[in-house]
Amino acid sequence: MITDSNILIVGSGGREHAIARALARNPQTRIFAAMNRMNPGIAELAYKVLITPETDAESIRNFCLQHKVTYACIGPEAPLEAGVVDTLTKAGIKCMGPAKEAAKIETDKTFCRNLMKKHQIPGLPEFYIFHSGTDAESFLRKTTKEFAIKPSGLTGGKGVRIIGEHLDHDQACQYVHELAGDIVIEERLIGEEFTLQAFVDGKTLVPMPLVQDHKRAYEGDFGPNTGGMGSYTLPDHRFPFVSDDDYNQAFSIMKKTVNALAAEGTPYIGILYGQFMNTATGPMVIEFNARFGDPEAMNVLSLLSSDFTAIVMAITSGTLENAEVVFAEKATVCKYLVPEGYPDAPVTDGKLVTGPENSAICYYASVVKEGDHLITQSSRTMAYVGIGDSLQEAERIAEEAASAVIGPVRHRRDIGTQMVLEKRVQHMKEIR
Ligand code: AMP
Ligand code: GLY
């Protein structure tokens, strides 16, 4: 039996709206929110809202103490890197989100790769670390091999460039000089991507349904990388292009990573997000995130049928082993509406009118509500999630709601279609 609980959500995107919705299903949960701009969906569910930089640990702590908040769910990576969890924990607030040192698994790619190497965790691509653009360039000049080039720190998923995909060798040699801080150069992985997220209490991991995100801005996976344009899951929580062996290997890599962090004296508590490339020889780690994915949170939390408040409590008290975690065996399709011109030159202050939504769930992101209208900002605007017995049904529900919105926004119509799924399956057959 869960007693009354005051829970804070940090963050203002679609992911945090999904967290708020999931928590709000427990009528005893009282939601508080700290966000850098007003998300109209979260505001509607929250008892009190604090508008603050999401990295301002002190103002968030004071807000919690003032309102007797005992738990906090951290949505984005920036507050994790800023040590918000460390500050809240010291004040006695239990956090679903890792402390700053453990969050380095996402915020510091050099740390992540070195940890995997030291603990001999499988799924590690060949990698090299450079402290300057000059050193990175001289390495690249000596090879014709295709590599992925990544700034070691956070870039909102937009700093990675792949030779042979986004740029050629010469352009790569120039690109490394544009990067600040350490540079990670790693083997270009070929395959199909999938995301495995898990609840983690420091030692136990409970997996969530597999999700596939779509990073590219345009249909057919063209255009610049974005924070994610949409995502889907299947009723069996797996994908036909990920075998049982691949899945077990990916989950084992995540468990080993959590064990490695514990062994280093930085136990991991929160959501671990594993981004994998399923290659000819099995899953390889593209990256870890120290939080739910956005949009991926909207898929999995829309399916969660057990009490999320109880799960947050189990994560933060080390009792996840005994927690009830059940996801409905249905498909989900999430489609983000983004301002025209996003991500390079987004049209802001565009007026939107929504149409019939039917059973689609609407999650707000970077959008302002003015009366009956919604006004676009510079980032992803809002998302629709369709839930169905089949992918086709879920896709139809999300697509109908997304295409009924009138105003200067666009979305990817191909996300969650059977054709895209078949393309992934076919690609996997070709490389294996
Ligand atoms: P990240 O910010 O690390 O998630 O990278 C963004 C995107 O770049 C990923 O979703 C992949 O599509 C791609 N990517 C990253 N690392 C690699 C790699 N080693 N090989 C191929 N593609 C990669
Ligand atoms: N959708 C990818 C991410 O949240 O990093």
XYZ file of all heavy atoms in Angstrom, residues 245-341:
730
model
N 19.073 -14.155 -28.771
C 20.489 -14.059 -28.374
C 20.954 -12.604 -28.335
O 21.654 -12.193 -27.410
C 21.380 -14.827 -29.358
C 21.370 -16.321 -29.064
O 20.803 -16.706 -28.016
O 21.904 -17.079 -29.884
N 20.551 -11.835 -29.352
C 20.929 -10.404 -29.391
C 20.367 -9.695 -28.161
O 21.057 -8.916 -27.499
C 20.338 -9.694 -30.624
C 20.862 -10.225 -31.939
O 22.000 -10.717 -31.975
O 20.115 -10.146 -32.943
N 19.093 -9.971 -27.881
C 18.427 -9.309 -26.760
C 19.123 -9.653 -25.438
O 19.432 -8.777 -24.630
C 16.944 -9.730 -26.708
C 16.214 -9.112 -25.537
C 15.664 -7.840 -25.632
C 16.112 -9.788 -24.316
C 15.022 -7.255 -24.548
C 15.475 -9.210 -23.226
C 14.933 -7.936 -23.350
O 14.319 -7.357 -22.277
N 19.377 -10.949 -25.246
C 20.012 -11.370 -23.995
C 21.399 -10.753 -23.847
O 21.808 -10.370 -22.751
C 20.107 -12.906 -23.935
C 18.717 -13.517 -23.815
O 17.779 -12.861 -23.348
N 18.568 -14.762 -24.246
N 22.097 -10.657 -24.975
C 23.440 -10.060 -24.941
C 23.347 -8.576 -24.563
O 24.115 -8.086 -23.734
C 24.105 -10.245 -26.323
C 25.423 -9.521 -26.507
C 26.586 -10.198 -25.775
O 26.382 -11.006 -24.863
N 27.809 -9.836 -26.142
N 22.380 -7.864 -25.157
C 22.224 -6.429 -24.860
C 21.889 -6.232 -23.377
O 22.460 -5.367 -22.701
C 21.130 -5.823 -25.741
N 20.989 -7.048 -22.865
C 20.595 -6.896 -21.455
C 21.768 -7.245 -20.543
O 21.997 -6.569 -19.523
C 19.363 -7.768 -21.160
C 18.718 -7.458 -19.834
C 18.534 -6.138 -19.410
C 18.295 -8.483 -18.992
C 17.941 -5.856 -18.172
C 17.698 -8.205 -17.765
C 17.532 -6.890 -17.348
N 22.534 -8.247 -20.932
C 23.705 -8.634 -20.132
C 24.753 -7.518 -20.128
O 25.385 -7.246 -19.098
C 24.251 -9.948 -20.713
O 25.594 -10.099 -20.389
N 24.918 -6.823 -21.257
C 25.855 -5.683 -21.332
C 25.409 -4.595 -20.345
O 26.222 -4.001 -19.623
C 25.919 -5.136 -22.784
C 26.682 -6.113 -23.686
C 26.537 -3.735 -22.833
C 26.600 -5.794 -25.179
N 24.101 -4.369 -20.276
C 23.594 -3.334 -19.358
C 23.818 -3.736 -17.904
O 24.203 -2.920 -17.075
C 22.118 -3.057 -19.645
C 22.012 -2.477 -21.028
S 20.589 -1.539 -21.541
C 19.669 -1.062 -20.205
N 23.584 -5.021 -17.602
C 23.810 -5.492 -16.222
C 25.280 -5.357 -15.849
O 25.612 -4.925 -14.737
C 23.402 -6.971 -16.097
C 21.913 -7.190 -16.074
C 21.652 -8.651 -15.684
C 20.350 -9.138 -16.226
N 20.224 -10.580 -16.324
N 26.158 -5.729 -16.774
C 27.605 -5.637 -16.496
C 28.020 -4.192 -16.279
O 28.915 -3.899 -15.474
C 28.404 -6.255 -17.645
C 28.304 -7.768 -17.657
C 29.136 -8.402 -18.739
C 29.165 -9.913 -18.511
N 28.979 -10.664 -19.737
N 27.380 -3.271 -17.009
C 27.720 -1.854 -16.878
C 27.289 -1.338 -15.498
O 28.048 -0.607 -14.832
C 27.060 -1.052 -18.015
O 27.498 -1.616 -19.249
C 27.436 0.415 -17.979
N 26.112 -1.747 -15.054
C 25.636 -1.347 -13.718
C 26.554 -1.943 -12.637
O 26.932 -1.263 -11.682
C 24.158 -1.774 -13.521
C 23.732 -1.652 -12.063
C 23.252 -0.927 -14.413
N 26.955 -3.198 -12.826
C 27.880 -3.822 -11.868
C 29.222 -3.102 -11.842
O 29.820 -2.920 -10.780
C 28.116 -5.301 -12.217
C 26.886 -6.140 -11.941
O 26.001 -5.726 -11.182
N 26.793 -7.309 -12.560
N 29.691 -2.691 -13.031
C 30.985 -1.991 -13.114
C 30.906 -0.662 -12.368
O 31.833 -0.291 -11.636
C 31.370 -1.766 -14.578
N 29.804 0.051 -12.525
C 29.652 1.341 -11.830
C 29.615 1.128 -10.316
O 30.226 1.892 -9.562
C 28.391 2.066 -12.322
C 28.528 2.693 -13.711
C 27.161 3.010 -14.314
C 29.384 3.963 -13.660
N 28.943 0.074 -9.880
C 28.897 -0.230 -8.443
C 30.310 -0.554 -7.946
O 30.738 -0.070 -6.893
C 27.937 -1.376 -8.175
N 31.043 -1.345 -8.728
C 32.411 -1.727 -8.332
C 33.330 -0.507 -8.254
O 34.281 -0.487 -7.473
C 32.973 -2.738 -9.331
N 33.039 0.512 -9.049
C 33.850 1.745 -9.029
C 33.441 2.665 -7.874
O 33.961 3.780 -7.740
C 33.693 2.504 -10.348
C 34.263 1.785 -11.561
C 35.787 1.702 -11.557
O 36.432 2.635 -11.054
O 36.326 0.675 -12.040
N 32.444 2.244 -7.093
C 32.006 3.067 -5.957
C 31.000 4.140 -6.337
O 30.745 5.069 -5.561
N 30.420 4.019 -7.543
C 29.406 4.990 -7.981
C 28.158 4.237 -8.422
O 27.889 4.114 -9.620
C 29.922 5.850 -9.155
O 30.434 4.960 -10.167
C 31.015 6.793 -8.741
N 27.390 3.689 -7.465
C 26.217 2.889 -7.821
C 25.224 3.667 -8.678
O 25.055 4.873 -8.495
C 25.600 2.510 -6.477
C 26.249 3.369 -5.460
C 27.558 3.830 -6.022
N 24.593 2.964 -9.599
C 23.710 3.607 -10.574
C 22.249 3.402 -10.193
O 21.771 2.277 -10.113
C 23.966 3.022 -11.975
C 23.283 3.810 -13.053
C 23.943 4.828 -13.720
C 21.946 3.568 -13.368
C 23.295 5.579 -14.682
C 21.291 4.326 -14.323
C 21.978 5.320 -14.982
O 21.334 6.067 -15.931
N 21.548 4.511 -9.977
C 20.133 4.457 -9.588
C 19.343 5.336 -10.552
O 19.654 6.520 -10.707
C 19.969 4.971 -8.133
C 20.651 3.974 -7.179
C 18.486 5.151 -7.771
C 20.931 4.521 -5.817
N 18.349 4.757 -11.204
C 17.530 5.556 -12.124
C 17.134 4.747 -13.331
O 16.785 3.567 -13.215
N 17.174 5.400 -14.494
C 16.840 4.743 -15.754
C 18.133 4.613 -16.545
O 18.828 5.609 -16.750
C 15.861 5.612 -16.586
C 14.641 6.052 -15.762
C 15.448 4.890 -17.868
C 13.762 4.949 -15.259
N 18.461 3.403 -16.975
C 19.610 3.248 -17.877
C 19.070 2.985 -19.279
O 18.223 2.115 -19.486
C 20.528 2.106 -17.428
C 21.811 1.955 -18.266
C 22.715 3.189 -18.157
C 22.593 0.709 -17.856
N 19.573 3.792 -20.205
C 19.117 3.728 -21.594
C 20.290 3.208 -22.425
O 21.336 3.849 -22.487
C 18.725 5.157 -21.992
C 18.443 5.434 -23.454
C 17.196 5.871 -23.867
C 19.430 5.329 -24.423
C 16.924 6.189 -25.193
C 19.173 5.633 -25.751
C 17.921 6.062 -26.125
O 17.668 6.363 -27.440
N 20.124 2.041 -23.014
C 21.180 1.487 -23.867
C 20.801 1.662 -25.321
O 19.737 1.213 -25.750
N 21.677 2.353 -26.052
C 21.465 2.517 -27.504
C 22.378 1.509 -28.177
O 23.601 1.600 -28.023
C 21.814 3.948 -27.898
C 21.683 4.259 -29.375
C 20.225 4.421 -29.775
O 19.408 4.843 -28.977
N 19.903 4.066 -30.987
N 21.810 0.557 -28.888
C 22.607 -0.508 -29.491
C 22.528 -0.463 -31.009
O 21.507 -0.081 -31.575
C 22.100 -1.878 -29.027
C 22.322 -2.125 -27.556
C 21.327 -1.831 -26.634
C 23.535 -2.624 -27.104
C 21.536 -2.043 -25.278
C 23.748 -2.837 -25.745
C 22.751 -2.547 -24.835
N 23.631 -0.878 -31.637
C 23.611 -1.161 -33.069
C 23.672 -2.673 -33.180
O 24.644 -3.296 -32.715
C 24.826 -0.528 -33.756
C 24.835 -0.717 -35.261
S 23.630 0.337 -36.079
C 24.564 1.847 -36.263
N 22.627 -3.274 -33.757
C 22.658 -4.715 -33.954
C 23.445 -4.979 -35.227
O 22.993 -4.663 -36.324
C 21.231 -5.255 -34.045
C 21.138 -6.661 -33.507
O 22.061 -7.135 -32.819
N 20.063 -7.342 -33.801
N 24.638 -5.524 -35.081
C 25.540 -5.704 -36.224
C 25.533 -7.177 -36.649
O 24.861 -8.009 -36.038
C 26.982 -5.315 -35.835
O 27.461 -6.279 -34.879
C 27.058 -3.926 -35.226
N 26.332 -7.477 -37.662
C 26.438 -8.858 -38.159
C 26.854 -9.796 -37.030
O 26.487 -10.966 -37.020
C 27.451 -8.899 -39.295
N 27.598 -9.283 -36.063
C 28.115 -10.150 -34.989
C 27.410 -9.920 -33.655
O 27.887 -10.384 -32.627
C 29.622 -9.910 -34.801
O 29.826 -8.506 -34.602
C 30.427 -10.376 -36.000
N 26.314 -9.183 -33.668
C 25.571 -8.979 -32.414
C 25.528 -7.521 -31.994
O 26.072 -6.649 -32.691
N 24.891 -7.239 -30.862
C 24.706 -5.842 -30.464
C 25.969 -5.172 -29.946
O 26.711 -5.759 -29.164
C 23.657 -5.924 -29.342
C 23.687 -7.311 -28.856
C 24.207 -8.182 -29.955
N 26.206 -3.958 -30.425
C 27.339 -3.131 -29.981
C 26.752 -1.864 -29.358
O 25.717 -1.365 -29.798
C 28.215 -2.738 -31.169
C 28.744 -3.902 -31.979
S 30.038 -4.808 -31.108
C 31.436 -3.718 -31.369
N 27.452 -1.329 -28.362
C 26.946 -0.151 -27.655
C 27.295 1.115 -28.428
O 28.474 1.429 -28.625
C 27.553 -0.055 -26.241
C 27.092 1.232 -25.553
C 27.174 -1.273 -25.419
N 26.276 1.844 -28.878
C 26.496 3.161 -29.483
C 26.703 4.164 -28.371
O 27.634 4.956 -28.395
C 25.302 3.561 -30.378
C 25.291 2.690 -31.630
C 25.382 5.035 -30.759
C 24.140 2.979 -32.553
N 25.816 4.121 -27.386
C 25.992 4.986 -26.215
C 25.042 4.542 -25.117
O 24.104 3.781 -25.351
C 25.719 6.458 -26.567
C 24.273 6.725 -26.937
C 23.921 8.206 -26.976
O 24.726 9.048 -26.576
O 22.786 8.496 -27.400
N 25.306 5.043 -23.913
C 24.341 4.911 -22.824
C 23.814 6.300 -22.505
O 24.554 7.279 -22.572
C 25.008 4.354 -21.557
C 25.371 2.902 -21.661
C 26.703 2.506 -21.700
C 24.386 1.928 -21.712
C 27.041 1.162 -21.788
C 24.716 0.577 -21.797
C 26.048 0.200 -21.834
N 22.543 6.362 -22.134
C 22.009 7.595 -21.561
C 21.603 7.299 -20.131
O 21.223 6.172 -19.800
C 20.808 8.107 -22.362
C 21.229 8.630 -23.730
O 22.334 9.146 -23.885
N 20.380 8.478 -24.716
N 21.648 8.336 -19.293
C 21.412 8.155 -17.861
C 19.988 8.544 -17.480
O 19.750 9.051 -16.382
C 22.431 8.974 -17.081
N 19.043 8.286 -18.396
C 17.670 8.811 -18.252
C 16.800 8.109 -19.289
O 17.316 7.394 -20.145
C 17.724 10.305 -18.560
C 18.459 10.490 -19.891
C 18.462 11.844 -20.457
N 19.297 11.883 -21.651
C 18.930 11.527 -22.868
N 17.698 11.122 -23.100
N 19.763 11.576 -23.888
N 15.498 8.362 -19.223
C 14.614 7.887 -20.280
C 14.966 8.597 -21.586
O 15.380 9.762 -21.578
C 13.171 8.306 -19.993
C 12.395 7.426 -19.061
C 11.939 7.922 -17.854
C 12.069 6.122 -19.410
C 11.176 7.144 -17.000
C 11.298 5.330 -18.565
C 10.857 5.837 -17.356
N 14.720 7.955 -22.702
C 14.829 8.634 -23.991
C 13.608 9.508 -24.207
O 12.542 9.264 -23.656
N 13.797 10.517 -25.017
C 12.695 11.369 -25.440
C 12.742 11.362 -26.961
O 13.685 11.917 -27.528
C 12.912 12.795 -24.901
C 11.729 13.707 -25.195
O 10.846 13.296 -25.958
O 11.705 14.829 -24.659
N 11.904 10.662 -27.651
C 10.528 10.223 -27.362
C 10.317 8.865 -26.678
O 9.174 8.575 -26.310
C 9.915 10.166 -28.767
C 11.040 9.819 -29.669
C 12.246 10.471 -29.072
N 11.336 8.026 -26.515
C 11.086 6.629 -26.112
C 10.268 6.499 -24.827
O 9.524 5.531 -24.647
C 12.416 5.894 -25.947
C 13.201 5.698 -27.255
C 14.180 6.827 -27.533
O 13.915 7.980 -27.125
O 15.203 6.551 -28.170
N 10.405 7.466 -23.901
C 9.644 7.414 -22.640
C 8.142 7.403 -22.915
O 7.370 6.771 -22.191
C 9.993 8.620 -21.772
N 7.742 8.120 -23.969
C 6.302 8.230 -24.264
C 5.736 6.884 -24.719
O 4.586 6.562 -24.418
C 6.066 9.313 -25.312
C 6.393 10.696 -24.763
S 5.996 12.016 -25.920
C 7.540 12.151 -26.800
N 6.559 6.075 -25.431
C 6.093 4.737 -25.824
C 5.930 3.852 -24.590
O 4.864 3.281 -24.364
C 7.115 4.069 -26.768
C 7.326 4.822 -28.047
O 8.142 5.725 -28.119
N 6.584 4.457 -29.076
N 7.001 3.725 -23.826
C 6.975 2.702 -22.765
C 6.069 3.111 -21.607
O 5.358 2.270 -21.058
C 8.399 2.340 -22.270
C 9.203 1.712 -23.395
C 9.139 3.531 -21.686
N 6.067 4.391 -21.239
C 5.233 4.786 -20.097
C 3.749 4.762 -20.458
O 2.900 4.607 -19.586
C 5.661 6.151 -19.556
C 7.026 6.132 -18.843
C 7.455 7.534 -18.425
C 7.013 5.205 -17.631
N 3.429 4.891 -21.756
C 2.023 4.758 -22.171
C 1.562 3.312 -22.027
O 0.362 3.039 -21.968
C 1.845 5.204 -23.624
O 2.199 6.561 -23.771
N 2.502 2.371 -22.006
C 2.164 0.940 -21.899
C 2.208 0.419 -20.473
O 1.730 -0.678 -20.191
C 3.170 0.112 -22.707
C 3.087 0.136 -24.221
C 4.235 -0.680 -24.805
C 1.753 -0.433 -24.711
N 2.850 1.187 -19.586
C 3.055 0.701 -18.215
C 1.706 0.580 -17.509
O 0.987 1.564 -17.357
C 3.963 1.681 -17.457
C 4.336 1.278 -16.028
C 5.230 0.047 -16.021
C 5.036 2.434 -15.314
N 1.373 -0.625 -17.079
C 0.062 -0.782 -16.432
C 0.193 -0.903 -14.913
O -0.792 -0.848 -14.211
C -0.701 -1.966 -17.029
O 0.092 -3.122 -16.958
N 1.416 -1.061 -14.407
C 1.551 -1.085 -12.946
C 1.826 0.328 -12.425
O 2.044 1.259 -13.195
C 2.618 -2.085 -12.502
O 3.611 -2.241 -13.460
N 1.810 0.451 -11.100
C 1.881 1.767 -10.453
C 3.297 2.358 -10.555
O 4.243 1.836 -9.956
C 1.468 1.574 -8.982
C 1.531 2.860 -8.187
O 1.726 3.937 -8.787
O 1.373 2.777 -6.956
N 3.438 3.446 -11.296
C 4.763 4.026 -11.501
C 5.321 4.633 -10.204
O 6.516 4.597 -9.966
C 4.709 5.064 -12.630
C 6.068 5.574 -13.061
C 7.151 4.712 -13.181
C 6.266 6.917 -13.362
C 8.407 5.174 -13.581
C 7.504 7.386 -13.765
C 8.575 6.511 -13.878
N 4.417 5.166 -9.370
C 4.881 5.719 -8.089
C 5.570 4.622 -7.270
O 6.647 4.841 -6.703
C 3.690 6.302 -7.306
O 3.126 7.357 -8.085
C 4.125 6.853 -5.956
N 4.969 3.439 -7.250
C 5.570 2.328 -6.499
C 6.915 1.937 -7.110
O 7.862 1.581 -6.390
C 4.619 1.137 -6.491
N 7.019 2.028 -8.432
C 8.292 1.683 -9.097
C 9.370 2.712 -8.725
O 10.516 2.356 -8.434
C 8.100 1.582 -10.629
C 7.175 0.407 -10.955
C 9.439 1.431 -11.346
C 6.769 0.298 -12.412
N 8.991 3.994 -8.719
C 9.958 5.038 -8.336
C 10.449 4.780 -6.908
O 11.654 4.872 -6.615
C 9.327 6.451 -8.453
C 10.241 7.509 -7.851
C 9.014 6.782 -9.914
N 9.523 4.404 -6.039
C 9.907 4.127 -4.651
C 10.843 2.917 -4.573
O 11.810 2.911 -3.820
C 8.661 3.901 -3.799
C 7.872 5.195 -3.630
S 6.383 4.918 -2.684
C 5.807 6.609 -2.505
N 10.556 1.898 -5.371
C 11.392 0.692 -5.363
C 12.795 0.993 -5.916
O 13.798 0.518 -5.384
C 10.714 -0.407 -6.176
N 12.845 1.801 -6.982
C 14.145 2.170 -7.570
C 15.004 2.888 -6.527
O 16.193 2.624 -6.388
C 13.938 3.090 -8.807
C 13.351 2.302 -9.975
C 15.251 3.773 -9.221
C 12.932 3.173 -11.159
N 14.374 3.794 -5.788
C 15.147 4.655 -4.889
C 15.384 4.021 -3.518
O 16.102 4.587 -2.703
C 14.442 6.014 -4.714
O 13.108 5.772 -4.250
C 14.374 6.782 -6.021
N 14.755 2.854 -3.272
C 15.006 2.219 -1.975
C 15.686 0.861 -2.135
O 15.832 0.119 -1.165
C 13.699 2.075 -1.192
O 12.812 1.264 -1.940
N 16.097 0.535 -3.366
C 16.841 -0.706 -3.580
C 15.993 -1.960 -3.496
O 16.495 -3.032 -3.169
N 14.689 -1.841 -3.798
C 13.798 -3.004 -3.670
C 13.127 -3.374 -4.991
O 12.037 -3.961 -5.008
C 12.708 -2.735 -2.610
O 11.993 -1.534 -2.987
C 13.295 -2.524 -1.235
N 13.784 -3.043 -6.069
C 13.201 -3.266 -7.398
C 12.908 -4.747 -7.666
O 11.962 -5.087 -8.393
C 14.176 -2.707 -8.442
C 13.659 -2.410 -9.831
C 12.397 -1.574 -9.816
C 14.750 -1.679 -10.635
N 13.714 -5.596 -7.046
C 13.553 -7.042 -7.222
C 12.117 -7.496 -6.922
O 11.602 -8.410 -7.553
C 14.510 -7.735 -6.257
C 14.997 -9.061 -6.744
C 16.042 -9.627 -5.775
O 16.309 -9.006 -4.713
O 16.561 -10.686 -6.091
N 11.489 -6.838 -5.953
C 10.141 -7.251 -5.532
C 9.029 -6.404 -6.158
O 7.860 -6.590 -5.834
C 10.010 -7.135 -4.008
C 11.139 -7.843 -3.303
O 11.504 -8.943 -3.708
N 11.725 -7.205 -2.298
N 9.376 -5.460 -7.004
C 8.358 -4.533 -7.521
C 7.558 -5.176 -8.655
O 8.069 -6.017 -9.398
C 9.027 -3.261 -8.022
N 6.295 -4.773 -8.775
C 5.491 -5.236 -9.906
C 5.711 -4.288 -11.081
O 5.457 -3.083 -10.969
C 4.011 -5.240 -9.515
C 3.172 -5.891 -10.587
C 1.700 -5.558 -10.477
O 1.277 -4.557 -11.076
O 0.987 -6.312 -9.805
N 6.218 -4.826 -12.179
C 6.437 -4.005 -13.375
C 5.795 -4.726 -14.559
O 6.288 -5.757 -15.007
C 7.944 -3.793 -13.655
C 8.124 -2.886 -14.866
C 8.657 -3.202 -12.438
N 4.678 -4.189 -15.033
C 3.953 -4.839 -16.142
C 3.683 -3.812 -17.248
O 3.207 -2.703 -16.964
C 2.606 -5.444 -15.663
C 1.874 -6.109 -16.819
C 2.841 -6.447 -14.531
N 3.997 -4.193 -18.467
C 3.690 -3.360 -19.632
C 2.635 -4.077 -20.477
O 2.741 -5.289 -20.700
C 4.947 -3.155 -20.483
C 6.010 -2.332 -19.803
C 7.020 -2.940 -19.057
C 5.989 -0.948 -19.884
C 7.995 -2.180 -18.427
C 6.963 -0.184 -19.256
C 7.961 -0.799 -18.522
N 1.642 -3.335 -20.948
C 0.597 -3.927 -21.797
C 1.228 -4.502 -23.063
O 2.169 -3.930 -23.615
C -0.431 -2.858 -22.151
N 0.690 -5.636 -23.519
C 1.250 -6.280 -24.719
C 0.584 -5.711 -25.963
O -0.218 -6.365 -26.630
C 1.115 -7.795 -24.597
C 2.100 -8.314 -23.567
C 1.979 -9.788 -23.276
O 1.174 -10.477 -23.934
O 2.695 -10.232 -22.366
N 0.906 -4.446 -26.218
C 0.337 -3.744 -27.368
C 1.457 -3.007 -28.092
O 2.530 -2.822 -27.536
C -0.696 -2.734 -26.882
C -1.918 -3.415 -26.277
C -3.064 -2.454 -26.137
C -4.269 -3.113 -25.527
N -5.167 -3.704 -26.511
N 1.133 -2.583 -29.317
C 2.100 -1.782 -30.069
C 1.875 -0.305 -29.750
O 0.757 0.095 -29.410
C 1.911 -2.010 -31.563
N 2.950 0.490 -29.833
C 2.800 1.942 -29.713
C 3.548 2.608 -30.864
O 4.587 2.113 -31.302
C 3.408 2.507 -28.408
O 4.812 2.231 -28.388
C 2.753 1.928 -27.171
N 3.014 3.719 -31.328
C 3.732 4.553 -32.294
C 3.657 5.985 -31.797
O 2.577 6.479 -31.459
C 3.135 4.441 -33.715
C 3.784 5.453 -34.658
C 3.323 3.030 -34.257
N 4.814 6.617 -31.713
C 4.902 8.006 -31.257
C 5.399 8.870 -32.406
O 6.403 8.542 -33.038
C 5.879 8.089 -30.082
S 6.151 9.774 -29.505
N 4.668 9.936 -32.711
C 5.101 10.857 -33.774
C 5.203 12.251 -33.198
O 4.230 12.775 -32.661
C 4.103 10.852 -34.933
C 3.909 9.466 -35.529
C 3.427 9.531 -36.952
C 3.168 8.119 -37.466
N 3.271 8.015 -38.922
N 6.383 12.815 -33.320
C 6.598 14.186 -32.870
C 6.205 15.159 -33.975
O 6.550 14.953 -35.147
C 8.084 14.406 -32.557
C 8.388 14.616 -31.085
C 9.332 13.831 -30.428
C 7.747 15.614 -30.356
C 9.626 14.032 -29.076
C 8.040 15.821 -29.009
C 8.974 15.033 -28.375
O 9.248 15.241 -27.052
N 5.501 16.211 -33.594
C 5.278 17.341 -34.500
C 6.371 18.344 -34.195
O 6.599 18.687 -33.022
C 3.909 17.961 -34.234
C 2.743 17.080 -34.687
C 1.550 17.248 -33.785
C 2.385 17.402 -36.115
N 7.078 18.797 -35.221
C 8.164 19.763 -35.003
C 7.912 20.997 -35.857
O 7.241 20.912 -36.890
C 9.546 19.139 -35.343
C 9.814 17.916 -34.477
C 9.664 18.792 -36.822
N 8.434 22.153 -35.444
C 8.221 23.364 -36.241
C 8.811 23.186 -37.640
O 9.851 22.528 -37.791
C 9.015 24.438 -35.484
C 9.241 23.896 -34.119
C 9.245 22.407 -34.241
N 8.166 23.758 -38.645
C 8.747 23.751 -39.996
C 10.154 24.323 -39.894
O 10.383 25.298 -39.189
C 7.896 24.606 -40.940
C 6.724 23.833 -41.488
C 5.763 24.691 -42.297
O 6.093 25.861 -42.574
O 4.684 24.184 -42.621
N 11.098 23.707 -40.603
C 12.480 24.192 -40.588
C 13.331 23.572 -39.486
O 14.545 23.736 -39.479
